[in-house]
Amino acid sequence: MSADYLPLWNQYIRPLGENYFRLFANSSRASKLLSDVIIPSACWDGSYRSISKKAKASRTHVHAVRLRRELQEAWYPYAFFTNSLELDRGRDLAPKDRTILGKHVVFTYEYDRDELPFFQEQLEWLLPKKAWEKSKIGKLFYLCSEQWADFVGITVAWSGGKSLHIHITFECKTYQSLHPVVGSAHAGLMAHWEMLAKEVQAILKPSANSDGVPIKPDPSLKVPGAFRRLPGGTRLLEKDNLLGMPTGMEVPQVVLWERFRDRAHPKASMLFFQPTKFAKASRIARPQGVAANSISFGNVLQRAEIDYCEDRLREIYTGYPQLDRLQFDDTRRLWIAHFRNSAADRNPSSVMLETHCTVQINGNPSAGTARKLEHPLGEMIKLWLARFRKERRPEAQSVAANDDDLHARHPGSQMISAINGAADADAVRTALEKGLPSLIRLEQMTLLRGPEGSAKTSSIMRRHPQIMQEIDRPGLALYAFGDYANAEEKCDAFNSLSHPGVHGVVWKSFSRTYAEICKELGLGEISYDDAIKAGNQSRWSMVERKQPKVLHALKQRHANMWAAIGDREPVLFTVHDVAYGWRDYGRTRRLWTRSFWEEAADDGQQISETDLAMLVHDEIKISTFVDAIPAEAYDWLQALKARNPAIWDGAHYAVQRETIAEHNAAAPKPAAIEADDHEIRRLLGPGDWARVTTKDTEEYVTRTCDDPAKDVYARSHGRGWYVRNRNWWSHVGNPIAERIVFLTTELVPATVAKRAMPRLYEVDFETPSITRDKVEVRPNRKVVAEKIGSVAQAEWEGLGKCASAEWTVISNRKGTFDPVWKVEVMSHAAARGSNALLSKNIIQTCTFMSPAQYEQVQAINAWTGRDDLVVASHVDEINQTCGRNLGFRRTGAERHILLINRRLYATLEARGAFAGMRYDFELHLDTEERREARRS
C-alpha cells in the first residue's frame, strides 16, 4: 500500500487496535480480481461489465469500452462494477434480461450494520493474516476450494463504509462448455447467490442484531446486474462514516484480503453452477395447479347465487319452455338448466348444458320457441355472478365473478395454495389430508399429480372414513397398485390405522390365487388352453372337476379372509389388471364376495356386493389409459377379425383360439402383439382406433452417433400407429365407481390421461417452499447401453470407503452387469413407487431410449398433439428414481448419483428438461473431463 495512506490509517484505524491497523497498512489497491477478472471481461465478445462512479446510474457500457485496455490505475477513480451484461444493441432490454454468465461471475456479500463493534467483528474474520487458513475467510476459501472445481478465489475489500465487501469468484467456461445456452441467467445467478450465502453465513457466523434477529447479507447484491464496490476504486463519502471520516473525503476501496488459486483442488470434482437453477419455466413438468379442462368451475356456487341465476333465466324464458331449476349434475360434472315444456309437464326433461346456448327439447315439444342465449350458459352464469356482486355489496363482496375467483373456491385450489406455502413434509401431508375429502366428493374423476413420496396415497388412506362419508354413496373402496407386493404393503399400512368399521384385504385375481395354491399343493396348473382343448368353457369348470383340493383351498382362503373381516366392511387392495377387469363382472370380481360359496347366491348378488363407491389407482402409466400399436399390428388384428367376424363378440373361446392359431400360422404375429390370446381378444374388442403418424419432434437434438446413415431413431419417423382409449373406467356410459382418483408423479401419463378423459379434474402440485435435495450428476460419454455395467461398477469402486455403505444400482441395462457383483441391481420399472430403498444410497443410469420405446412415445406425441414427451419421459424416469431415497423419502445422509450419457445430458439441457427436475443437479467432472470440456 502506498505510504500516502498510512496517515489515514494511523488516524482512523489504529485507535481500533494494532491488528486492524496492520491489516490496513498492508492493504493494496492492486487486485487479482480487478486485473485478472474484471478488466479482461470489461468489454468482451458482445458483453461488458458496467462501470460507474455513482450507485444510481444506468448500466451503460461506455466506461467499460474506454477502460478495457487501460492499466489498473486508470480504474481507481471508479467505484462500482456489475457482473457481465449482453450489449443491448438497440433492443431496449432491462439489465435482468441481458444478464449472462460471461468469463467469470462474482458473488458479493455485505453485512450492512452501522455499529463500530460489528465493523471490528468483520475485521476479525480476516485474522490471523499470516496463518490465513485459520481465519474465517480462510476457512471459507478452503470450503469453496475443496468443494467446487470452478471456484477461482476470494477478495475482501473495504470501501470507506461500515462493512466489508466479500467477492467470491467462479469461472464459467467449464460449465458453459456443457451448457452453451443458459436458460435464465438472471434468476439462476440469484439462486446461486442464495445457495452460497448459506455457506458464507455458516462459516462467518455474524453476531445477531441488538434485537436478537440474525443478520444476513444484503439481498440487493444477489441481483447479478446490481452495482457492487470495485476493489481498488474510490469512494466519495456522502456522509461521515462510523470511523469519523468526514463527508466529502475520497477514500480508497482497499483490498484487505485476497487469495486466488492456480488450479483446482485435487478433491474437487463438483461444479458450483447447477443447471436446474438456470432452467427456464417450460411446459415440461411445470405444475399447473388445478386444470379442470372442460369443467368451468364445478359445484361451488352458493344458494343465493343459484337463485339469482335462476331469476335471470326466468326473465329470458317467460313462456314455454319454462325454467324449472338450475342444478349441478354430479355425474356429468357440469351445471344444467332444466325446463318444463308445458304446464302439464310433471317431469322436466328439456335441458340446457352449461356449454350450450340453446334448450335441448326432450319429450312433448312446447308451443313456444326457445330463445338462444348470447353466450353459453356457463359464461352467462359468470356474467350474472359479476352483476350479483355489484348489486349486493357489501354483503356479497366475497362472491366470485370470474374464472380465477370461482376456481379459488374449489377445494383443489385451496389445497394447492396450502401446499405452496408448506415448509416441510408434515405441512404437505396436512394440506392433502384436509383438502382431499372435499375434493373427491366434488369431482367424479380426479388426477392428483405431485412429487414422489409426498403422501398422496397414504393421505387418502388416512382420511378414508371421512372421504367415504363425503361420497355418501353405497359401495366399497378399491385401491389398485402395480404389483401384489405393493398392494400387500399398503393393505398392512391401512390396517395399522385401525379405522373403525373397515378392514383392508388383498383381493387377488383367480389366476394368481390358483397359481399360489397349485404351488402349495404340488399340483400342475391347468392352463386356459388345456381347458379349451378338453371341451371346457373355462379353466374354472375344469378345475372344479379335476382338482377338488384346489377348491377346498380356495374355500379355506375365502373363510380366513372373511373371518378377519368379521362384521366390518372390506376395503380392497389389488393390482391394476384386476381394476381394469372390474366392469367385466368376471370370476376375480366375484370370487371373494361374502356370498360366493353360498348355494343360493347368484352372479347378480355377488356383483352387487362389489359395486364401488371409490377407486384409487396408484402409479398410472400410458397403458392405463390407451392402447397404442404400430400399423402392422393393427392390420394383423383386422385381418384376424375378418377371418370370422361373428365369433369375437361372445364367449366362443374354442373357435377364437383355433382362428388365432390358424391366422398366426399364415401370418406370424408382429412383435408388438403379446402372445396371450386374452390380450388379442381384448384388442379386438369395442373401441375407436385413431391413426396417427410419427414425426421427428427434434427432441433428440444430438443423436447417439453423428452418422445420419446409422441414426436408429430416423427409422421411427413417418410410421403409422393406432391409438384408442381403453375406457375400462366406465361401463355402458357409467363410471365403474362413484369416484375415481388417479395418482401419479409423472407428466407423460398425466398428459395421456387428460387426452383420454376430457372431463378429468387435474390437481398438479409441487412443493416450492421446501428445500430441494441434491443429485450428484456425472455426464459421461461411456454411459451407453453396452457399457453401463462396467461404468457403474467403476463408479462404485471409485467411491472408496463410501462403497462400504449400502448401495443399489437402478438401470434398465441389468444384463450388462457382472452377475457376481455384490451390489443389488434393479430396473427403473422395478424401483418405481417402491419404499424399499429408503435410507439406501443409489446409483442410477440414464441413456437414450431404445428405438422401439422412442417410436411408441412419438406415437403418443402425435396423438396428444405434443412435441416434448420423449424428453419428458426422461424427466419422469429421473425424478421417479431420485424419489426412491431423496425428497420426502430422505431419512438421513443418503447419496444419489446419476450416471447419464453426455450427449443425452446436452440434449435434455437444450430442450429445457431441467425445468422439470424436482432435485438440484450437482455436476461432477474429473480432471480429464474438465480439461476436455474447456477444450471443446
Side-chain angles (χ1 to χ4, degrees), residues 511-539:
S511 295
R512 172 78 176 209
T513 309
Y514 175 59
E516 290 177 354
I517 290 174
C518 286
K519 185 176 181 180
E520 290 173 5
L521 299 177
L523 298 174
E525 290 184 50
I526 297 171
S527 69
Y528 172 79
D529 281 352
D530 294 336
I532 299 303
K533 285 179 184 177
N536 298 278
Q537 281 295 311
S538 68
R539 181 163 57 168

Side-chain angles (χ1 to χ4, degrees), residues 11 60 89 91 210 241 302 320 334 346 394 433 623 635 746 768 820 845:
Q11 180 179 353
T60 177
R89 304 186 191 281
R91 294 171 296 170
S210 56
N241 69 12
Q302 301 168 7
Y320 290 101
L334 77 172
R346 301 298 181 191
E433 291 183 32
S623 59
D635 293 341
E746 300 177 13
V820 300
T845 69

